[in-house]
Amino acid sequence: MIIDNTIKVTDLEKSLSDFWELAANKAILLDREYDTSQGSPVFTVNGKYTTRGWTEWTQGFQYGIPLLISEATGNKEMLKLGKQNTINNMAHHLSHFGVHDHGFNNLSTYGNLLRMANQV
């Protein structure tokens, strides 16, 4: 691998801005269009998320990604979306022991919220 030491963080500013905007748009779209009564979105079929009821390991990412977007960009809508969905939908994961996906759900949501609160 050849490392280009001339690249600066500022060189990535436009690309990162585009990335975070796309991520926010996709998080909003998922929140608006995905039927959470079917379970957590796991993979896509014909361009739409679907679930596999045997696992809910992706729910933490579904609600944690808006928190990361908010932290990176200051987007208050993403903070509100991630926080509300964590509070409204993630409590059952707190005591869902015995599954190896425990960390994905709780660290991505409650963990992000705790870390962000401690940075203030």
Side-chain angles (χ1 to χ4, degrees):
M1 173 173 31
I2 300 172
I3 298 173
D4 184 348
N5 292 312
T6 64
I7 296 175
K8 301 178 191 109
V9 173
T10 54
D11 296 336
L12 303 174
E13 198 168 301
K14 173 74 169 107
S15 295
L16 287 171
S17 177
D18 292 345
F19 167 79
W20 291 118
E21 182 179 348
L22 177 64
N25 289 336
K26 291 195 176 277
I28 291 168
L29 185 65
L30 184 62
D31 185 65
R32 288 182 185 157
E33 293 194 6
Y34 184 73
D35 180 5
T36 57
S37 71
Q38 301 299 309
S40 299
V42 178
F43 62 93
T44 59
V45 173
N46 297 323
K48 297 288 184 182
Y49 273 104
T50 188
T51 188
R52 288 295 178 254
W54 54 269
T55 182
E56 298 297 322
W57 70 276
T58 58
Q59 195 164 38
F61 298 132
Q62 180 182 2
Y63 303 138
I65 286 172
L67 298 174
L68 295 176
I69 295 167
S70 173
E71 184 178 30
T73 66
N75 183 325
K76 299 296 183 199
E77 182 181 0
M78 289 290 101
L79 176 60
K80 181 178 178 182
L81 181 65
K83 187 175 179 181
Q84 283 182 334
N85 279 324
T86 297
I87 291 167
N88 294 336
N89 301 303
M90 295 302 293
H92 70 281
H93 290 290
L94 289 172
S95 60
H96 192 201
F97 294 106
V99 296
H100 73 279
D101 303 326
H102 198 63
F104 290 128
N105 284 313
N106 293 302
L107 293 176
S108 296
T109 54
Y110 293 107
N112 280 336
L113 286 169
L114 178 63
R115 182 179 39 74
M116 291 166 71
N118 286 333
Q119 291 176 358
V120 177

